[in-house]
DNA sequence: TTTAAATTGAAATCCGTTTTCAAACGGATG
DNA sequence: CATCCGTTTGAAAACGGATTTCAATTTAAA
């Protein structure tokens, strides 16, 4: 999603919820969109500190949760015990390939798998709300090493 | 897997590792196999306490990790922040459907999905070591309520 | 037995997450 | 502007599950 679009969506969200637009929230969103994906609260906090030492971890944490609530970010868990966030691609969905050696994360989307998930769920009387699919293995670089 | 088979596999594991067979480990394995699947350390600990108040949480925790190391149990994470364990079905693999309302967990296995996972990974140069597929939604009971 | 090593369990510690609370800020109002 | 009130901030504390510590106990080999 375009940065400008994302920013205005967040502004609108704040308005609707009776929340305030603050210097910190703008800084955090700016840096979140600038930085690469799948970063932890700590990651983002450290990046922000470099430019603005007056920002608190708690604020970064709370703001990332606001992003998720607003729909401009998604929280992920890749099994290393810490939450990670990535910017939402509007209605786009994707799953992840994770290299267990170097930590590299590759995103993919496979409509066939998505479809089969729905079918399997239906066979068991379930309707799916969301899912999580993560493939852990070795990326090409790490496999030949 | 048969209980007897599982128990001897664990005994053998202990021997190979130079570990000792203790009263606690036998009690814990016994109760683990008796209880239903997908239970947390706390769950198992509480069940054990009823019959034997002299057992410690730390021991249950350590023993479950031993089970996993030995291959007779598998650790799972369903996103509620606590680890769960289930007995291994030898080489059998399965994934999970989880009802977000009542917590019901249904196991399934779909070779078509498994196959597509391998293909998708290969397309990105990955070889898969393991994966995690969880479908969250509403079971038939909870949907009509 | 005796002995050395492994195990136990209560309590302490770890570590990411979340909350608390007093001070600072945002923005609506006149 | 100046005032006011609800919101936000950030340091520190609390939280919660996982893990470790360590002195006492148990295991099993000698
Ligand atoms: Mn992603
Ligand atoms: Mn299962
Ligand atoms: Zn790699
Ligand atoms: Zn249900």
């Amino acid at each position: 999603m375009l940065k400008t679009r994302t920013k205005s969506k967040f502004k609108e969200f704040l308005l609707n919820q009776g929340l305030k637009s603050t210097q910190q929230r703008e800084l955090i969103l700016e840096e979140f969109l600038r930085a690469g994906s799948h970063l932890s609260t700590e990651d983002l906090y450290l990046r922000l500190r470099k430019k603005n030492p007056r920002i608190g971890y708690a604020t970064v944490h709370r703001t990332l949760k606001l992003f998720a609530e607003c729909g401009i970010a998604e929280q992920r868990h890749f099994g290393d015990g810490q939450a990670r966030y990535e910017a939402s691609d509007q209605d786009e969905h994707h799953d992840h390939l994770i290299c267990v050696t170097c930590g590299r994360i590759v995103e993919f989307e496979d409509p066939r798998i998505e479809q089969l998930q729905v079918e399997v769920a239906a066979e068991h009387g379930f309707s799916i709300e969301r899912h999580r699919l993560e493939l852990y293995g070795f990326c090409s670089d790490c496999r030949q090493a």
Side-chain angles (χ1 to χ4, degrees), chain A:
Chain A
M1 195 186 295
L2 217 55
K3 285 198 180 185
T4 334
R5 182 74 197 84
T6 303
K7 287 184 189 175
S8 58
K9 184 171 178 184
F10 185 53
K11 277 244 165 84
E12 192 181 344
F13 169 82
L14 292 176
L15 257 178
N16 288 344
Q17 307 284 314
L19 303 178
K20 292 177 175 176
S21 188
T22 69
Q23 220 176 311
Q24 284 90 335
R25 286 175 178 163
E26 290 189 16
L27 276 172
I28 293 169
L29 180 51
E30 185 68 46
E31 188 63 30
F32 175 67
L33 295 177
R34 193 196 328 279
S37 243
H38 311 124
L39 27 64
S40 66
T41 307
E42 180 82 14
D43 290 340
L44 188 56
Y45 169 65
L46 290 178
R47 289 184 62 120
L48 282 156
R49 289 283 292 208
K50 288 183 186 162
K51 293 168 189 167
N52 188 336
R54 311 175 51 73
I55 207 147
Y57 180 93
T59 302
V60 177
H61 166 77
R62 287 184 289 228
T63 304
L64 281 170
K65 292 217 312 189
L66 275 187
F67 290 171
E69 206 181 325
C70 163
I72 62 174
E74 308 211 26
Q75 194 186 54
R76 304 279 189 186
H77 290 270
F78 294 139
D80 64 345
Q82 65 186 336
R84 294 178 180 281
Y85 291 84
E86 65 178 319
S88 300
D89 281 345
Q90 34 215 9
D91 332 274
E92 294 294 318
H93 161 80
H94 66 257
D95 295 301
H96 299 88
L97 271 161
I98 298 127
C99 177
V100 296
T101 302
C102 69
R104 188 172 150 209
I105 297 175
V106 173
E107 304 179 336
F108 71 89
E109 210 270 325
D110 190 302
R112 297 168 301 175
I113 294 180
E114 303 286 320
Q115 176 55 30
L116 286 170
Q117 287 175 356
V118 174
E119 288 176 22
V120 168
E123 281 167 23
H124 291 87
F126 272 68
S127 57
I128 302 186
E129 193 187 42
R130 65 177 195 278
H131 71 262
R132 161 195 286 192
L133 173 57
E134 289 147 25
L135 310 180
Y136 296 88
F138 302 98
C139 74
S140 47
D141 291 352
C142 294
R143 189 137 36 83
Q144 61 201 29

